[in-house]
Amino acid sequence: MSVSPILSSVPAVESDWWRSAVVYQVYPRSFADSDGDGVGDIRGVIGKLDHLQRLGVDVVWLSPVYASPQADAGYDISDYRAIDPLFGSLADIDELIADLHARGMRLVMDLVVNHTSDEHPWFVESRSSRENPKRDWYWWRDPRPGHDTAQPGAEPTNWESFFSGPTWTWDETTQQYYLHLFDPKQPDLNWENPEVRAAVYDMMRWWLDRGVDGFRMDVINLISKDTSLPDAPADPRTGRGDGFSHYAHGPRLHEFLQEMRREVFDGRDALLTVGEMPGVTTAEALLTTDPARDELNMVFQFEHVGLDHGTSKFDPRPLAPGALAASLTKWQDALGDTGWNSLYLSNHDQPRTVSRFGNDREYWRESATALATMLHLQRGTPYIYQGEEIGMTNGSFPSLEDFRDVESLNFFAQAASLGAIADDVLDGMRRNGRDNARTPVQWDASVEAGFTSGTPWIGVNPNHSWLNAAAQYDDADSVYNYYRRLIALRHERAVVATGSFVRLDVADPAIFAFERALGDERLLVVVNLSDLPRAFAAPTHWAGATPVLANLPEGEDATLRPWEARVSATGLR
């Protein structure tokens, strides 16, 4: 394909350049494989930068490529200053940074510091003896009173792991338990210890000195815990409880984030900091993103990606009409002119946008572009997850053997032990499991979708024969080219990046309509989030407005077709 240079729309000297930027997340394992081993790598990313430059994105967020045993696909890090040979080398990262900067783009690295791998030298030392200087770098505790040795129920707390099972694992060598909110191979760092924080900050400065432009901070709201480690109300089926309120948004979280800002980011310009915060409230998000408090630029909140959850994410429920728009509006209103929103519908942990919130069958293109319009034209920084820009759908997982994700596999094992019906559990995994986001990017219609010349680590979606990037580059009406227009609109019009947001009450929950305003510039965004035609009459003060973007050819003014999106403007110069 031919590529026209699309440089960053904001100069590097602007400290808040990220307000008008668009971020693209790369999950390298599934992006592009340069050496035929079936696993994506850094050189594969370098080889696809033309695709990202043509798209017009400003930032690449790279999911973990650090040295790792890969118990949780790289989110279990054994060396923060080394690249796993699976993905390449430090020289490859340096080349990626240089190439991105030459193209006017930036690189944000994943920062995973709530926990490490159990193979990290810090933890190897910590578990070697109770007297080791690094013993207190992690959370070690004796069995609960009345239990002398490891046995079910002897764990220091009854908390349930995010990946099923207890959050504590017994260590035979030192005869104590260690805490891990995720997999047993991901022990939690003890941020109460100032030596831990100093080591983390030193590592972060090392990466910034190397040219990295910021960090996406994995589950950063879990670093401060209630040090009394209380139990949670127990589930009678498992005996374990949800300890979230005791280890999330703990008493020292804001203190730690402000210290990080002072120790790592102060004196460095043009950086992006975004914190992933499951369970964050609007009030907490406002505190975290208020520039006057010197914490983070923005956070990832999870409310809207939990709307279709029943008893768990693997118990999907139909999305109530209007629920998605209502949730996103709530966050727009709450953060207002003080805080800042991260705008996303999918990432490496979420199912595919068009399969989850749209209609990936009869209205695949229409719903993919409608959802993109709704998201990108709100106030905040939009995030595109790899493949979203071509409308990739959920994958195909005929049997349990087709799944790879530790979270899904552990859930299946636990559900089976409790007598759940296997087909029901598999159906939930097919709809909401993380593997949906991790099938290889569909570059073309060739074998393995152009992702690899070998055998991919996870199966390619069979629909790559028609749904692929190559088929969309020269199609003016493709999902990819629609994303290009959306991104260009954000870069060209300040009202998109920083204008006010006002939701319009149109008395139909299927229609998400809102106005953006900045000075004399105004945008009206109207999206039909349903499979049915909807009546819609624009407010009278929008009479004579100029259409600036639409995902369907011009239709009847008073009727929105299924998944139709319209954007009109007044006062644009």
Side-chain angles (χ1 to χ4, degrees):
M1 69 181 182
S2 60
V3 176
S4 300
I6 303 176
L7 301 182
S8 174
S9 63
V10 288
V13 295
E14 292 185 6
S15 60
D16 61 351
W17 59 270
W18 36 266
R19 293 180 185 270
S20 57
V22 178
V23 183
Y24 186 99
Q25 182 189 357
V26 168
Y27 187 75
R29 175 182 292 269
S30 301
F31 190 68
D33 172 23
S34 70
D35 58 10
D37 66 355
V39 178
D41 46 48
I42 297 167
R43 300 218 64 81
V45 179
I46 294 171
K48 296 296 186 181
L49 291 185
D50 284 354
H51 173 87
L52 302 183
Q53 185 174 5
R54 184 180 185 184
L55 187 61
V57 298
D58 306 277
V59 183
V60 171
W61 152 25
L62 190 66
S63 288
V65 291
Y66 311 98
S68 167
Q70 304 296 320
D72 183 24
Y75 283 86
D76 51 314
I77 297 169
S78 56
D79 187 343
Y80 288 107
R81 304 190 193 207
I83 301 301
D84 197 292
L86 190 68
F87 299 120
S89 65
L90 281 172
D92 292 332
I93 279 286
D94 291 341
E95 182 177 340
L96 176 61
I97 293 170
D99 205 344
L100 284 169
H101 288 176
R103 294 167 181 261
M105 292 183 278
R106 297 175 168 96
L107 180 69
V108 165
M109 295 282 280
D110 230 307
L111 182 75
V112 188
V113 290
N114 173 71
H115 47 267
T116 68
S117 166
D118 66 344
E119 298 182 30
H120 194 292
W122 297 346
F123 188 74
V124 172
E125 284 194 53
S126 184
R127 78 186 311 175
S128 65
S129 76
R130 294 195 185 194
E131 291 73 37
N132 188 277
K134 285 189 171 59
R135 182 66 170 183
D136 194 42
W137 282 42
Y138 296 83
W139 295 81
W140 292 96
R141 293 295 185 272
D142 292 325
R144 69 173 61 231
H147 298 75
D148 294 331
T149 58
Q151 56 186 284
E155 296 89 359
T157 72
N158 68 348
W159 300 345
E160 175 87 9
S161 163
F162 283 104
F163 289 169
S164 305
T167 59
W168 297 90
T169 289
W170 180 252
D171 178 65
E172 284 289 346
T173 302
T174 58
Q175 296 288 291
Q176 280 189 317
Y177 285 94
Y178 66 86
L179 176 68
H180 54 87
L181 297 180
F182 295 89
D183 191 82
K185 288 187 67 64
Q186 294 171 289
D188 278 48
L189 284 164
N190 178 13
W191 274 67
E192 298 292 322
N193 187 329
E195 293 180 356
V196 169
R197 304 198 303 274
V200 169
Y201 301 155
D202 187 58
M203 174 269 294
M204 294 172 69
R205 289 190 294 266
W206 184 85
W207 276 108
L208 293 176
D209 290 343
R210 206 169 192 99
V212 167
D213 301 293
F215 298 100
R216 174 268 185 185
M217 303 179 187
D218 187 67
V219 293
I220 199 66
N221 60 323
L222 308 186
I223 60 176
S224 173
K225 301 167 174 66
D226 181 343
T227 57
S228 67
L229 301 178
D231 275 344
D235 183 327
R237 299 174 303 164
T238 64
R240 291 185 287 273
D242 181 0
F244 190 81
S245 62
H246 304 306
Y247 57 70
H249 295 99
R252 301 185 68 187
L253 175 63
H254 295 288
E255 173 193 342
F256 292 158
L257 293 178
Q258 290 167 3
E259 180 184 65
M260 179 189 290
R261 174 69 173 264
R262 293 192 304 271
E263 295 295 323
V264 179
F265 302 122
D266 277 0
R268 298 176 186 263
D269 292 328
L271 299 177
L272 185 154
T273 59
V274 52
E276 182 198 34
M277 293 191 169
V280 69
T281 64
T282 54
E284 280 286 338
L286 190 57
L287 288 174
T288 306
T289 63
D290 180 348
R293 291 174 53 83
D294 288 335
E295 295 186 19
L296 302 178
N297 299 146
M298 63 194 88
V299 301
F300 287 125
Q301 56 89 6
F302 282 65
E303 180 181 292
H304 64 298
V305 292
L307 294 172
D308 57 354
H309 293 178
T311 56
S312 76
K313 67 183 287 182
F314 299 110
D315 177 29
R317 304 293 172 85
L319 192 65
L324 180 60
S327 176
L328 295 174
T329 300
K330 168 186 169 182
W331 282 85
Q332 288 286 304
D333 292 343
L335 270 60
D337 294 329
T338 302
W340 196 253
N341 278 291
S342 297
L343 307 174
Y344 79 100
L345 290 175
S346 66
N347 58 35
H348 64 290
D349 286 334
Q350 303 294 334
R352 287 290 178 178
T353 297
V354 69
S355 296
R356 184 182 199 177
F357 297 118
N359 180 335
D360 63 6
R361 300 169 305 281
E362 295 87 355
Y363 297 106
W364 164 73
R365 181 201 169 274
E366 292 86 347
S367 61
T369 52
L371 289 164
T373 307
M374 172 204 73
L375 190 77
H376 279 247
L377 297 186
Q378 293 180 53
R379 189 174 191 269
T381 298
Y383 287 72
I384 299 169
Y385 179 67
Q386 62 182 43
E388 188 176 357
E389 78 281 10
I390 60 171
M392 279 182 61
T393 66
N394 277 357
S396 175
F397 306 97
S399 69
L400 181 63
E401 289 68 34
D402 296 302
F403 290 90
R404 299 289 182 270
D405 179 40
V406 61
E407 180 187 37
S408 294
L409 296 174
N410 285 358
F411 179 82
F412 183 90
Q414 177 167 293
S417 72
L418 296 173
I421 299 172
D423 285 347
D424 291 343
V425 180
L426 286 173
D427 183 61
M429 291 162 58
R430 292 183 184 111
R431 291 177 60 183
N432 272 0
R434 300 194 301 180
D435 282 326
N436 285 300
R438 302 177 182 188
T439 60
V441 171
Q442 296 162 208
W443 295 108
D444 58 41
S446 66
V447 175
E448 311 304 358
F451 164 72
T452 180
S453 60
T455 301
W457 71 276
I458 189 172
V460 171
N461 194 321
N463 67 11
H464 77 276
S465 60
W466 64 269
L467 199 173
N468 61 74
Q472 296 191 26
Y473 289 143
D474 296 324
D475 177 359
D477 294 325
S478 69
V479 175
Y480 178 83
N481 281 311
Y482 190 83
Y483 266 84
R484 293 185 71 203
R485 292 191 285 274
L486 268 177
I487 294 168
L489 189 61
R490 172 170 289 270
H491 289 161
E492 294 164 2
R493 304 300 183 185
V495 64
V496 178
T498 58
S500 62
F501 174 97
V502 176
R503 172 83 180 274
L504 299 182
D505 182 4
V506 297
D508 185 339
I511 297 177
F512 192 7
F514 55 89
E515 293 180 338
R516 305 292 311 283
L518 182 68
D520 294 334
E521 296 186 10
R522 279 171 170 72
L523 283 183
L524 171 65
V525 181
V526 182
V527 185
N528 177 7
L529 299 175
S530 79
D531 290 347
L532 299 174
R534 300 283 177 172
F536 173 76
T540 55
H541 64 276
W542 280 95
T546 303
V548 294
L549 187 65
N551 69 340
L552 291 173
E554 186 175 350
E556 298 180 29
D557 287 345
T559 302
L560 290 171
R561 288 161 287 183
W563 298 99
E564 182 173 3
R566 300 176 185 173
V567 184
S568 304
T570 62
L572 294 183
R573 294 179 293 277

